[in-house]
Amino acid sequence: MSRALSLHIGLIALLFALQFVLPAYHHGNLARIMVLAVYAMGYNVMFGYTGLLSLGHAMFFAAGMYGMGLPMRLWELSAGPAFLLGVLAAGLLALLVGLLALRTIGVAFMIVTLMFSQALFLLILYFNPVTRGDEGFVLPQASRQMLGFDLSDAGIRYMAALSLFAVCLMAVYRLVRSPTGRVLIAIRENEDRARMLGYDTWRHKLLAVVVSGTICGAAGAAYGLLFGTVGASFADVPFSILALLYVLLGGPGTVIGPFIGTLFMFYLRDLSGAVTDAHMLVAGVVLIGLTLYARRGIMGVIRERWAPWLP
Amino acid sequence: MEFGPHLILAILEGLVQASVLTLTALGLSLVFGVMRVVNVAHGEFFMLGAVFAYGVASTLGGAPAVGFVAALIVAPLLVGLLAVVSDWLVLRRLDYDPERTIVATIGMLYVIQQVTLMTFGPDARPVEPPFNQRIAIPWFEFTEAGLEFYFPWGLSTTSYKLFVVAAAVLAGLGLWALMARSRLGLVLRATQLDRETALAFGIPVERVYAFVFGLGAALAALGAVLVVPVRQAHYLMGHDPLLLSFIVVIIGGLGSLRGTVLAAILIGMSDGIISVFFSPTLAKILATLLVAMVLVYRPQGLFGAKPA
């Protein structure tokens, strides 16, 4: 087993072991962090590996969340199929957005993704009778059952979050080390050169968008199921920025960076809550600090200094 | 109210909205045009304009007109200075790299917004307009006696709203004169056309950038001071102007000031009219989708020329 593989499997094992020793408060936090880290990992596939900066990833998270939650609320679909439906909805949305947005590059791409995401957010508000708009809705505990497990139980919730996290972590690990992943990195470094070498860069970028959107959708659907809430704030601009923040802090283009970034940011917010209610202030300061002084993020610096083998 | 008077009312409201939007969007467009920087914190400069206007008006006290005139001068100046400082502290150090400046201005957005929340507080606060006469507007109908004029209930505007429109037109003309007729405008346009050559001709590009960033923010603040007597100062009020300015700047063609003005009038009016007859949310959904489609299929904007 290579160093890189053992590191990632070790992280999963560590997270598995932690559930037996952590106090209840941090146990709950970590379950939430793992689901949010999946969201950040999805974002990282596009931003960190392919070099596509999106400002609208909340739309994929929300597509997963509402794609799962609405059928449960309206037609009393059971949790398993609803989860799959949410992932599917996010994947299809990503395909559509990718087909349109990838016709643009650079600043225009960021704004197009921002606008699509904003349109979805406003649509959720507009269809207030169906989606309950701003307030969102709660999924009743009785409906949150999957394969005979009660997802609202803290222990099972932790394991469910860990399973999703582990699957996505290993999937991204495999992807970025595969030939396809190498092409994505080549596109990030120099798209013209990759095209000149004969790679269909457009198709690869579309693949990155769809994979990224699907992972984010899975995170959204899981978040709704595990924590029982579906709300419009998960579709709003600040939630898109949060993914960017997690990845920038943890290290864009590293497999475990998004998890590290989510972990740090979550607790930074938690700790700053004691000082001020204005919790986005920390996010703002960290964003400016990162762009000014630490572009590579935590894992990026570690890779540069000590561990060049880090994927 | 019948359809006709209702439409007039919608157009009047749209006109006020379009005027303020023109100023705000011109600021964004100027910054993008000259510096190639997408300033996501632009809406917060707008908000700061309104908050400073409240601060100036409430500390001065006395007649509303005195406070308002003082705010009209002081608020844009203060906001402009703040923008210059943030340019020197942050954007200059990023070498104006497009992606990094976007991320940094997102950070600035949150810092400004949250600091305002911590100091100014979460309440919406009003600024009194300097004058505010109600002006009733006549409408006509055909009766057996022929054409008759009457004043429908609810169809009116205020002198202050008309002043907002006039002031925006004046400020717009002022900006045009600055860009097209002054030496400073020449320097700005030269920097916009070709940064390297401008640098070679001894234009202090960094100082030009700082000035433009300040001017863009001051324009947004001016728009906010004008609108704050109609709406109220609130720490989240920068959100909508930011979104609408983005829409305007993109539809008008990135960096084209003339396109920006045309698009601001179009978007401001149609947003006002759709908001009156349908729902504001629907108006915004249509506008955001329009923007996305314009960027995808006509990146030079609806009014911009195709690049050669």
Side-chain angles (χ1 to χ4, degrees):
Chain A
M1 209 156 61
S2 71
R3 274 184 295 193
L5 187 59
S6 27
L7 173 75
H8 292 85
I9 295 195
L11 174 67
I12 294 168
L14 176 70
L15 287 170
F16 179 80
L18 272 177
Q19 64 175 313
F20 302 111
V21 290
L22 281 181
Y25 176 68
H26 296 286
H27 182 270
N29 277 353
L30 202 54
R32 210 173 283 259
I33 288 169
M34 284 190 286
V35 178
L36 289 174
V38 171
Y39 173 48
M41 283 195 292
Y43 186 81
N44 192 29
V45 170
M46 241 171 97
F47 171 60
Y49 284 103
T50 322
L52 295 167
L53 204 168
S54 146
L55 293 178
H57 258 54
M59 69 178 142
F60 303 127
F61 192 89
M65 189 175 242
Y66 279 89
M68 174 278 305
L70 284 180
M72 284 182 75
R73 178 171 124 87
L74 300 174
W75 310 304
E76 287 169 4
L77 197 69
S78 61
F83 178 78
L84 293 179
L85 216 56
V87 177
L88 187 72
L92 285 177
L93 180 68
L95 181 67
L96 182 71
V97 168
L99 282 173
L100 288 167
L102 284 175
R103 298 171 60 110
T104 63
I105 51 164
V107 170
F109 181 81
M110 304 175 206
I111 299 174
V112 169
T113 50
L114 179 70
M115 290 298 164
F116 277 131
S117 178
Q118 189 66 16
L120 182 72
F121 171 64
L122 292 168
L123 275 172
I124 291 172
L125 295 190
Y126 186 68
F127 289 104
N128 188 45
V130 185
T131 61
R132 301 273 318 268
D134 249 344
E135 272 175 59
F137 53 88
V138 174
L139 294 172
Q141 193 191 337
S143 66
R144 287 155 57 200
Q145 312 280 336
M146 200 188 272
L147 309 170
F149 291 113
D150 178 5
L151 294 176
S152 59
D153 172 77
I156 289 169
R157 180 162 65 197
Y158 189 96
M159 278 312 293
L162 178 60
S163 319
L164 180 73
F165 176 76
V167 167
C168 291
L169 188 79
M170 293 328 284
V172 173
Y173 177 80
R174 285 288 299 274
L175 173 72
V176 301
R177 288 167 67 98
S178 70
T180 313
R182 301 275 172 197
V183 179
L184 297 185
I185 296 173
I187 292 173
R188 177 189 72 193
E189 295 301 323
N190 192 333
E191 186 174 350
D192 290 331
R193 198 177 291 170
R195 198 181 304 123
M196 205 186 70
L197 287 171
Y199 293 109
D200 187 344
T201 57
W202 194 84
R203 197 177 284 256
H204 278 91
K205 286 200 287 186
L206 187 62
L207 177 82
V209 175
V210 172
V211 169
S212 171
T214 310
I215 295 177
C216 292
Y223 197 96
L225 268 180
L226 297 181
F227 303 102
T229 52
V230 173
S233 65
F234 293 106
D236 204 358
V237 182
F239 199 68
S240 293
I241 305 304
L242 225 46
L244 173 69
L245 184 61
Y246 292 156
V247 172
L248 274 177
L249 178 60
T254 60
V255 177
I256 61 171
F259 172 74
I260 304 290
T262 313
L263 184 72
F264 269 74
M265 210 48 228
F266 194 94
Y267 275 101
L268 203 56
R269 250 173 96 159
D270 202 50
L271 295 175
S272 69
V275 185
T276 169
D277 290 336
H279 56 256
M280 287 309 276
L281 182 65
V282 185
V285 172
V286 172
L287 271 177
I288 296 177
L290 282 171
T291 44
L292 277 177
Y293 304 111
R295 294 174 65 185
R296 291 181 194 81
I298 297 169
M299 294 314 288
V301 170
I302 290 179
R303 170 158 66 191
E304 202 176 37
R305 297 250 171 97
W306 301 290
W309 45 268
L310 212 61
Chain B
M1 242 194 292
E2 294 163 65
F3 179 75
H6 212 144
L7 182 67
I8 297 285
L9 195 66
I11 290 176
L12 280 170
E13 289 302 312
L15 210 57
V16 174
Q17 166 133 351
S19 322
V20 176
L21 184 57
T22 307
L23 290 182
T24 317
L26 273 175
L28 192 68
S29 180
L30 193 68
V31 168
F32 183 82
V34 177
M35 304 166 69
R36 300 277 133 187
V37 162
V38 177
N39 178 16
V40 184
H42 197 65
E44 303 317 304
F45 290 135
F46 178 89
M47 178 272 287
L48 278 183
V51 167
F52 287 161
Y54 169 82
V56 170
S58 60
T59 38
L60 275 184
V66 178
F68 180 78
V69 172
L72 211 49
I73 299 163
V74 174
L77 263 180
L78 277 180
V79 173
L81 270 180
L82 191 77
V84 170
V85 170
S86 52
D87 174 75
W88 275 82
L89 283 181
V90 180
L91 300 186
R92 190 174 54 102
R93 298 191 188 193
L94 300 175
D95 287 327
Y96 303 100
D97 171 83
E99 286 199 358
R100 294 171 72 200
T101 46
I102 280 203
V103 177
T105 52
I106 292 172
M108 278 156 57
L109 182 163
Y110 288 131
V111 171
I112 296 175
Q113 191 183 81
Q114 300 291 313
V115 168
T116 310
L117 172 65
M118 286 157 68
T119 50
F120 178 76
D123 304 321
R125 299 177 197 206
V127 171
E128 241 180 278
F131 45 84
N132 206 20
Q133 290 87 12
R134 183 176 171 277
I135 301 171
I137 294 165
W139 187 247
F140 56 85
E141 72 182 346
F142 293 102
T143 57
E144 286 159 10
L147 192 64
E148 245 178 61
F149 285 95
Y150 69 108
F151 292 91
W153 185 85
L155 177 59
S156 69
T157 185
T158 63
S159 53
Y160 182 73
K161 285 185 180 173
L162 296 180
F163 165 75
V164 170
V165 178
V169 172
L170 267 181
L173 285 176
L175 183 69
W176 172 80
L178 174 77
M179 288 301 281
R181 290 283 180 272
S182 77
R183 200 179 149 69
L184 182 61
L186 192 67
V187 169
L188 295 187
R189 280 180 294 144
T191 314
Q192 170 164 10
L193 271 176
D194 190 337
R195 181 197 147 108
E196 306 289 310
T197 314
L199 208 57
F201 273 78
I203 291 176
V205 167
E206 281 202 340
R207 259 190 284 163
V208 168
Y209 276 14
F211 171 76
V212 165
F213 202 65
L215 181 62
L219 278 170
L222 181 64
V225 179
L226 287 175
V227 86
V228 76
V230 184
R231 271 168 235 160
Q232 296 183 332
H234 184 248
Y235 82 103
L236 286 177
M237 75 187 292
H239 192 218
D240 279 359
L242 175 70
L243 188 67
L244 282 171
S245 305
F246 258 101
I247 292 169
V248 163
V249 170
I250 287 160
I251 291 192
L254 286 168
S256 140
L257 292 185
R258 194 173 313 163
T260 303
V261 173
L262 279 173
I265 295 168
L266 179 78
I267 296 286
M269 296 289 288
S270 50
D271 187 67
I273 292 170
I274 297 175
S275 300
V276 168
F277 286 107
F278 301 99
S279 96
T281 315
L282 185 66
K284 275 189 222 137
I285 294 173
L286 292 178
T288 45
L289 287 177
L290 176 69
V291 162
M293 290 307 160
V294 164
L295 270 178
V296 170
Y297 290 105
R298 214 185 135 79
Q300 72 275 25
L302 289 184
F303 303 110
K306 229 185 174 78

